[in-house]
Amino acid sequence: MDDRDGRQGTFMIGRQEADSIERRSGVSLWRQIADRILQAIATGDFAENAALPPEVALAERYGVNRHTVRSAISALVQEGVLRAEQGRGTFVLSRKRLSYPIGARTRFSTGLQGQTSERHIVLLSSSVEPASQRVAEGLGLARAADVIRLETRGEADGRPVSRAAGWFDARRFAGIDKAMAETGSITASLARFGIDDYLRQSTVLSARHADAADLADLDLQPGAIVLVTVAVNITSDGQPIQFSESRFPAERVELKLSAL
Amino acid sequence: MDDRDGRQGTFMIGRQEADSIERRSGVSLWRQIADRILQAIATGDFAENAALPPEVALAERYGVNRHTVRSAISALVQEGVLRAEQGRGTFVLSRKRLSYPIGARTRFSTGLQGQTSERHIVLLSSSVEPASQRVAEGLGLARAADVIRLETRGEADGRPVSRAAGWFDARRFAGIDKAMAETGSITASLARFGIDDYLRQSTVLSARHADAADLADLDLQPGAIVLVTVAVNITSDGQPIQFSESRFPAERVELKLSAL
DNA sequence: TAAATTTGTCTATTGATATAGACAACTATA
DNA sequence: TATAGTTGTCTATATCAATAGACAAATTTA
């Protein structure tokens, strides 16, 4: 909790405590405090299985009433991040953020090796639809050409860590939905169409508050933040093969941009 | 507003409107609606200078009272994003998000060319301090070796678009603060130390709610989201020269990951 | 066992958030 | 010049969020 690169040094002169909380902001104090605690856990400031400071101490740190801290804690207990035990204390259940690599050869499973004991992709649904403008542009297709859309969720140790939609040229990749259902892997599915290597051509990254769909898809609580990537994958000779939009829960995932 | 890749198609069956709003979430309805409007502007769903739908229409779309919509709008008027004119309507002032490129040769000014008419970096302060653990690791220095810290803000067309802290080995780069103050450019400052090319070695990306410091530094409203990058720059022969942590306002900036 | 520490529950009060309705003020248009 | 459409202001009411204090219940420590 004390290695945040000198926030308390040169720069804190004449400024409020960095841990302080915004009132009348439209975001309730308990939600802000819950976010701070999540942040502290994600960055390792509160170790896994360790006890949180007692409620009175947290209340003092954030400058709020004990009951307000209790609201924050009870929200996190509800989310399964903390466990409170009467008389003993409140304990951290959840782990640090996963570090999800993004680079020229971004692959789901290989990138998370060593960080989780188990990970897999679930195919939620597939459909054929006319390409929207941005999909058509990304794939270099005519405006309303048919594309196959695969909706997937990535899970690690039983918790959702990504939610993605991928679009493929329907003529070239007819049947990729079945391949995906059978193999559980985009890479393996593309291999069936003779593509044994592909590269990340472009990635655009943004962040926003989770909307209703994100909350349901990623098992988040209202107010959570999602990282959004929009990307195009190409073959080694430059043909675009996949357009994708992925959403990651910011409280559980960070993106590590690796050499391309 | 209708090109969001088929949210309304296959996937909307049995689900609430995607635009719907979460109640009792700890985030007030007006703040959620303000976020949606910002999002819609940033993605181009509401064109610049165009009129927003009238308040009663927005209230119906989001399923809230007209007064709640008015709270959201008045917050955005306060932020300078919208302008309301009695009897006429409410109009969009602000532009789409800047697309900030990140790649092997990430440079501030060159990357934003064409998107803004004016951009520059302001040196806010500099100091010498012992390296924190993560800075020492990033730069390959001993744990408490002296490092120079430069605090900077990037501005485009008068609006803050980034806030960064950069750390440099104090022995090797003594005087880089003066160089930075004179040139207003990291690249030019490093050139004075014989470094005419440098590369991005690693970037780790995350997102979180803005804290009190972010609000002040980036001129944001409470509840805003910041993208955070932690990066190491190296010379072409692999020596680490700069460790940095940058924060970007998610409502004004997206990150474009380019080929390295 | 007694005391100290910590979480859990209850009551009460205040201020912010959200809904509801009515009407004024201003603008554009038929 | 009416009329319709839009933003601005006011009153009233109900619910949520936050503070305050007291004490119960469970656990750990002296």
Side-chain angles (χ1 to χ4, degrees):
Chain A
M1 218 42 194
D2 62 2
D3 188 19
R4 304 220 302 172
D5 295 304
R7 268 279 161 75
Q8 34 280 116
T10 324
F11 269 79
M12 292 315 300
I13 298 158
R15 180 182 271 171
Q16 288 288 75
E17 226 188 307
D19 265 355
S20 74
I21 294 289
E22 300 295 319
R23 291 168 186 269
R24 313 185 187 75
S25 66
V27 181
S28 62
L29 301 189
W30 64 262
R31 172 53 55 196
Q32 293 183 58
I33 290 169
D35 283 345
R36 294 295 171 88
I37 294 173
L38 276 178
Q39 185 77 15
I41 294 170
T43 60
D45 289 338
F46 291 150
E48 191 159 353
N49 295 319
L52 239 57
E55 294 169 351
V56 281
L58 288 174
E60 188 170 10
R61 172 188 302 185
Y62 295 116
V64 301
N65 192 275
R66 177 180 158 230
H67 294 295
T68 307
V69 169
R70 283 180 59 75
S71 297
I73 287 176
S74 90
L76 296 178
V77 168
Q78 208 66 24
E79 289 179 47
V81 174
L82 299 177
R83 184 185 64 248
E85 293 181 30
Q86 186 169 356
R88 298 220 317 136
T90 304
F91 301 89
V92 176
L93 293 176
S94 148
R95 52 214 143 246
K96 291 183 61 172
R97 276 200 282 246
L98 288 180
S99 194
Y100 189 99
I102 289 194
R105 288 185 168 74
T106 292
R107 308 289 187 266
F108 178 76
S109 197
T110 52
L112 299 180
Q113 270 170 15
Q115 299 186 66
T116 66
S117 59
E118 180 277 335
R119 63 246 161 223
H120 62 274
I121 294 182
V122 182
L123 177 64
L124 299 175
S125 75
S126 62
S127 56
V128 177
E129 62 190 26
S132 67
Q133 186 174 0
R134 62 171 194 164
V135 170
E137 279 175 11
L139 292 177
L141 298 174
R143 173 65 170 87
D146 275 350
V147 289
I148 298 171
R149 183 175 72 185
L150 302 183
E151 294 278 344
T152 57
R153 180 170 54 223
E155 297 178 1
D157 295 338
R159 301 203 315 166
V161 293
S162 70
R163 182 69 171 66
W167 288 265
F168 303 84
D169 180 353
R171 287 198 301 197
R172 178 160 181 196
F173 295 103
I176 195 172
D177 47 343
K178 278 176 204 125
M180 185 65 204
E182 288 166 22
T183 64
S185 157
I186 297 275
T187 308
S189 300
L190 288 172
R192 294 198 182 177
F193 292 87
I195 293 171
D196 35 47
D197 192 27
Y198 59 95
L199 297 170
R200 185 65 73 103
Q201 181 194 41
S202 68
T203 306
V204 173
L205 203 146
S206 58
R208 57 173 169 75
H209 281 122
D211 63 23
D214 301 324
L215 299 181
D217 294 341
L218 293 169
D219 193 16
L220 294 171
Q221 296 300 113
I225 294 174
V226 290
L227 286 159
V228 181
T229 64
V230 174
V232 176
N233 279 327
I234 59 173
T235 60
S236 42
D237 56 341
Q239 295 175 299
I241 54 176
Q242 178 190 16
F243 182 91
S244 69
E245 175 177 314
S246 304
R247 291 164 285 146
F248 303 87
E251 67 199 41
R252 302 204 274 263
V253 178
E254 65 184 16
L255 303 179
K256 183 174 176 56
L257 315 184
S258 40
L260 293 198
Chain B
M1 220 42 196
D2 61 4
D3 187 19
R4 304 220 304 172
D5 296 303
R7 267 280 159 74
Q8 34 281 115
T10 325
F11 269 79
M12 292 313 302
I13 299 159
R15 182 182 271 171
Q16 288 287 75
E17 222 189 310
D19 267 353
S20 75
I21 293 290
E22 301 294 320
R23 304 176 106 91
R24 329 190 172 68
S25 65
V27 183
S28 62
L29 301 188
W30 64 262
R31 174 48 60 194
Q32 292 184 57
I33 291 169
D35 282 345
R36 295 296 170 88
I37 294 173
L38 276 177
Q39 185 75 16
I41 293 171
T43 60
D45 289 339
F46 291 151
E48 191 159 352
N49 295 321
L52 239 58
E55 293 169 352
V56 280
L58 288 173
E60 187 169 12
R61 172 189 300 186
Y62 295 117
V64 300
N65 192 274
R66 178 180 159 232
H67 294 295
T68 308
V69 169
R70 284 180 60 75
S71 296
I73 288 176
S74 89
L76 296 178
V77 168
Q78 208 66 23
E79 289 180 45
V81 174
L82 300 177
R83 184 185 63 247
E85 293 181 29
Q86 185 169 356
R88 298 222 316 137
T90 304
F91 301 89
V92 177
L93 293 177
S94 155
R95 52 214 144 244
K96 290 183 63 172
R97 276 200 282 246
L98 288 180
S99 195
Y100 189 99
I102 290 194
R105 289 185 168 73
T106 292
R107 307 287 187 267
F108 179 75
S109 196
T110 53
L112 299 179
Q113 271 170 15
Q115 299 186 67
T116 66
S117 59
E118 179 277 335
R119 62 246 160 222
H120 63 275
I121 295 183
V122 182
L123 177 64
L124 300 175
S125 74
S126 62
S127 56
V128 176
E129 63 190 24
S132 66
Q133 185 174 1
R134 62 170 194 165
V135 169
E137 278 176 11
L139 293 177
L141 297 175
R143 172 66 169 84
D146 275 350
V147 289
I148 297 171
R149 183 173 74 184
L150 302 183
E151 295 277 343
T152 57
R153 179 168 55 222
E155 297 179 0
D157 295 337
R159 301 203 315 166
V161 293
S162 70
R163 182 69 171 65
W167 288 266
F168 304 83
D169 181 354
R171 285 199 301 197
R172 179 160 180 195
F173 295 103
I176 194 171
D177 47 343
K178 278 177 203 124
M180 185 65 204
E182 288 167 23
T183 64
S185 157
I186 297 277
T187 307
S189 300
L190 287 171
R192 295 198 181 176
F193 292 87
I195 293 170
D196 35 47
D197 192 26
Y198 58 95
L199 297 170
R200 184 66 72 105
Q201 180 192 42
S202 68
T203 306
V204 172
L205 203 146
S206 59
R208 57 172 169 75
H209 281 121
D211 63 23
D214 301 323
L215 299 181
D217 293 342
L218 293 168
D219 194 15
L220 294 170
Q221 296 300 113
I225 295 174
V226 291
L227 286 158
V228 180
T229 64
V230 174
V232 176
N233 280 327
I234 57 174
T235 59
S236 43
D237 56 342
Q239 294 176 299
I241 54 175
Q242 178 189 17
F243 181 91
S244 69
E245 175 177 313
S246 304
R247 292 164 283 145
F248 303 87
E251 66 199 44
R252 302 204 274 264
V253 178
E254 65 184 17
L255 303 179
K256 182 173 176 57
L257 314 184
S258 41
L260 295 197

